[in-house]
Amino acid sequence: MKKGLRLWSLLTIAFISTLFLITSLFYGLMIYQTAHSVRKTESKLLLSIGKQLSIDPLVKQVLTTHTNEKALETYATDIYHIYNLDFVVIMDMQAKRLTHPDASLIGKPFQGNDEKEALKGKSYVSFSKGSLGQSLRGFVPIYGDNKQQIGVVALGIKVQTLGMLINTFRQGYTIVLFTSIAIGFIAALGIAYYLKRQLLNLEPKEISQLLEERNAMLSHTNDAIIVVNSDKVIQLSNIAANELYEKTSGPGLTLTGLPLEALIVELDAVSLDSKREQLYRQNGQEYLFSSAPIIIQQKPIGWIIFLRNATESLFVMDQLANTTAYASALQAQSHEFMNKLHVIYGLVDLKAYDELSIYLHDILSPEKEFSHRLSFLVRNPQIAGFLIGERQKFSERKVTLLFDISPEIPETHDDDETLAIMNCYRYIHHLLLKIALPEELQILIQYANDNLTTTYTLELDTQQQVILKTGCEHPFFKQLRKEAKATFTIDSNNQTVVLQLGTPYHEVS
């Protein structure tokens, strides 16, 4: 998979690019506003100085009498030096210059062709090119004592001078711009590093992949999984956990945001800090409870909790134990069979027929020959091993299982069908071991027309019958019967209880 930019680099570039774009835009706007403000300020200054000159007595006297022109030139020179102007030109109504920074141009016509409106009595500012180059000019008409226009004063600042003023401001803005970018770059690195640490140094693609993997695990597991915070409030729950909660609280409800006690009612019965699986019982069902702390940056922030149906786990353990028991029984049977043949052969050879009769009666007793007879009556090794294991399990409770198998159970190649039958057996036996049983338990297994019918007959008091019936109505047993396509009935007559399980079982053709 092609790798893209790392998150740290991506965040830094994005932050710096955004900062650079914003500051550059701001910088451009400020330069434009500064240039416009400088022009406007200088325009007002030109007009203000021009109006001041237009009412000056010396200016009026020279324009009226055409005398004392040297004094006017000196006065004009002082003005543009004082106000940092590039020129101050006073002209008469024929646009002839009376003053100019270049003495050789005095007495010559004004250049630029932008003075015509001023000769008509208007005050304004314009850009034009004259003898000193391109400049910003201000024109103000001069009136005599009789209110008649007698001339015009023109003041100007060259474009180069305006540029220098603007550059002065621009230098300050440029320093601020690069300083902001430098600070922004450092801040971007810091923020990117902080976010990277908060994301556990994971890249966005890695986070999305982990999220999809987590969702897949949570959605497709049969165990109830929930995540709680340090306050024991549920933050996340999978489908199995929500279904478990809906069984007691109604459909359409979710666990997110509820306290942990909403799902695990007896929270004191388990420990969240234990590293081992704990057996937890709720609503008549046993669960294997396990939890693990969630630690981020060496700080615990909550727990992840797993609830597994203990019955299913016990079924798997029983299946492994039964398979082992069946294999051991076959091994022992083979060895014992050869020993018995040698004993029989020896007794016959010695003509000890009385001892032979006693010996044959002893080895053919139901208890000792159960596994031997089972190998002939049950051709399915998985079911045979299961029945051997169940007989041993019940014998530990001082209960004898009396199997009556008629006719023999043939072999089948459908392992799923066999597993479904054993799961139903296993659940029924699990229920029986939880109640007080008589010393003997009759089990009749009949095979006919691709169907296996198993009948349990036992004596129970009323209280034990209620417990047994409640267990047979459990949703898990219903699911097992559905998977096995089985039928099940439970009947009672006084203290006699009859359980009958019918399952499809197809012989090898």
Side-chain angles (χ1 to χ4, degrees):
M1 183 174 63
K2 185 178 179 180
K3 294 185 178 180
L5 284 175
R6 297 181 63 83
L7 181 60
W8 193 346
S9 303
L10 183 62
L11 290 174
T12 303
I13 293 174
F15 190 85
I16 290 298
S17 299
T18 304
L19 178 64
F20 181 77
L21 180 63
I22 294 175
T23 53
S24 297
L25 181 61
F26 179 76
Y27 176 76
L29 290 174
M30 288 300 297
I31 293 298
Y32 173 79
Q33 290 291 338
T34 299
H36 180 73
S37 177
V38 168
R39 293 190 190 100
K40 187 175 181 180
T41 302
E42 293 299 320
S43 297
K44 290 182 177 179
L45 177 63
L46 292 176
L47 292 178
S48 298
I49 297 173
K51 291 178 180 179
Q52 182 65 34
L53 291 174
S54 67
I55 60 174
D56 190 275
L58 177 60
V59 175
K60 291 183 179 182
Q61 176 188 354
V62 173
L63 287 173
T64 303
T65 62
H66 297 283
T67 59
N68 207 10
E69 293 180 357
K70 290 293 184 182
L72 182 61
E73 291 179 19
T74 303
Y75 179 60
T77 301
D78 293 339
I79 291 296
Y80 70 72
H81 282 155
I82 293 173
Y83 292 101
N84 293 322
L85 304 177
D86 289 313
F87 63 88
V88 175
V89 176
I90 299 174
M91 68 188 83
D92 58 18
M93 293 302 293
Q94 285 74 39
K96 185 178 69 174
R97 301 186 185 102
L98 300 181
T99 62
H100 195 278
D102 187 355
S104 61
L105 297 178
I106 295 175
K108 295 182 178 180
F110 189 82
Q111 294 181 4
N113 294 324
D114 54 344
E115 75 281 0
K116 296 180 180 179
E117 295 297 323
L119 294 173
K120 296 178 180 180
K122 294 183 178 179
S123 298
Y124 56 93
V125 176
S126 69
F127 271 101
S128 185
K129 184 176 182 181
S131 58
L132 298 178
Q134 191 79 16
S135 60
L136 175 66
R137 304 177 174 189
F139 295 91
V140 177
I142 303 173
Y143 294 93
D145 295 336
N146 57 359
K147 306 300 181 182
Q148 294 292 322
Q149 185 175 356
I150 56 176
V152 173
V153 58
L155 308 95
I157 300 176
K158 292 188 292 185
V159 173
Q160 292 86 345
T161 305
L162 285 175
M164 292 174 61
L165 292 174
I166 295 173
N167 286 335
T168 302
F169 291 99
R170 181 181 298 167
Q171 290 175 358
Y173 293 145
T174 303
I175 294 174
V176 173
L177 173 65
F178 285 105
T179 303
S180 300
I181 293 176
I183 295 174
F185 179 75
I186 297 173
L189 290 177
I191 293 174
Y193 178 75
Y194 173 78
L195 292 176
K196 186 72 172 177
R197 288 289 302 274
Q198 292 297 311
L199 296 175
L200 303 178
N201 290 324
L202 294 175
E203 297 297 319
K205 291 183 179 179
E206 295 173 337
I207 295 174
S208 62
Q209 180 178 350
L210 288 175
L211 180 62
E212 292 299 327
E213 292 172 352
R214 186 211 65 170
N215 291 338
M217 288 190 296
L218 291 178
S219 300
H220 294 86
T221 181
N222 293 326
D223 297 341
I225 302 175
I226 56 176
V227 176
V228 298
N229 60 15
S230 56
D231 296 326
K232 298 181 182 179
V233 176
I234 298 174
Q235 304 295 310
L236 180 67
S237 60
N238 68 342
I239 296 175
N242 288 326
E243 290 177 350
L244 181 62
Y245 179 63
E246 289 176 358
K247 290 179 181 178
T248 57
S249 303
L253 298 177
T254 179
L255 284 166
T256 304
L258 297 178
L260 181 56
E261 289 83 353
L263 181 64
I264 303 176
V265 179
E266 299 179 8
L267 191 57
D268 295 335
V270 293
S271 173
L272 292 175
D273 298 323
S274 177
K275 296 182 179 180
R276 297 182 178 180
E277 285 189 327
Q278 306 165 66
L279 189 62
Y280 173 71
R281 184 177 180 86
Q282 180 171 301
N283 298 328
Q285 177 62 50
E286 293 177 342
Y287 299 94
L288 291 177
F289 175 95
S290 59
S291 62
I294 301 174
I295 300 175
I296 295 180
Q297 296 180 357
Q298 301 181 350
K299 293 182 180 179
I301 63 169
W303 295 269
I304 181 170
I305 297 173
F306 301 86
L307 275 181
R308 186 189 313 163
N309 193 313
T311 305
E312 298 178 26
S313 300
L314 294 174
F315 281 0
V316 175
M317 295 173 60
D318 286 345
Q319 186 176 2
L320 293 175
N322 293 336
T323 303
T324 303
Y326 181 68
S328 300
L330 289 178
Q331 182 180 8
Q333 176 184 326
S334 176
H335 180 73
E336 186 178 0
F337 179 72
M338 295 300 298
N339 291 336
K340 290 177 180 178
L341 283 179
H342 287 113
V343 173
I344 294 172
Y345 177 78
L347 291 175
V348 172
D349 187 55
L350 295 173
K351 297 181 181 181
Y353 299 114
D354 292 337
E355 289 81 357
L356 177 62
S357 177
I358 295 172
Y359 181 70
L360 290 176
H361 180 269
D362 185 54
I363 65 175
L364 293 176
S365 63
E367 183 64 28
K368 293 187 177 181
E369 287 301 308
F370 173 74
S371 60
H372 178 71
R373 291 189 298 108
L374 204 63
S375 64
F376 290 100
L377 294 175
V378 182
R379 296 296 183 179
N380 188 325
Q382 295 185 60
I383 294 180
F386 172 77
L387 295 179
I388 292 174
E390 293 300 287
R391 182 180 175 86
Q392 293 177 353
K393 186 189 300 182
F394 275 83
S395 66
E396 295 174 359
R397 292 281 304 274
K398 308 300 181 182
V399 178
T400 302
L401 296 184
L402 302 178
F403 287 98
D404 185 2
I405 302 174
S406 174
E408 69 178 33
I409 300 175
E411 188 178 357
T412 181
H413 288 329
D414 194 339
D415 292 335
D416 293 336
E417 198 171 61
T418 300
L419 180 61
I421 293 172
M422 291 193 299
N423 283 339
C424 292
Y425 282 163
R426 193 174 286 113
Y427 185 84
I428 293 173
H429 297 173
H430 176 72
L431 292 179
L432 294 174
L433 289 171
K434 293 169 65 175
I435 60 177
L437 294 173
E439 293 182 357
E440 294 184 346
L441 176 58
Q442 296 284 342
I443 302 178
L444 173 62
I445 304 177
Q446 297 174 305
Y447 172 74
N449 300 324
D450 291 334
N451 192 72
L452 201 63
T453 303
T454 306
T455 305
Y456 297 80
T457 305
L458 64 159
E459 300 292 328
L460 295 175
D461 59 31
T462 304
Q463 182 179 2
Q464 300 300 319
Q465 290 182 25
V466 172
I467 296 175
L468 183 60
K469 290 181 179 179
T470 302
C472 292
E473 295 174 355
H474 195 279
F476 181 65
F477 186 43
K478 293 180 180 179
Q479 180 65 26
L480 291 178
R481 299 201 308 264
K482 181 179 178 181
E483 294 174 356
K485 300 178 181 178
T487 59
F488 179 79
T489 59
I490 178 170
D491 298 317
S492 59
N493 184 10
N494 294 328
Q495 291 188 341
T496 302
V497 180
V498 178
L499 309 177
Q500 190 171 76
L501 176 70
T503 55
Y505 185 84
H506 298 87
E507 181 182 1
V508 176
S509 57

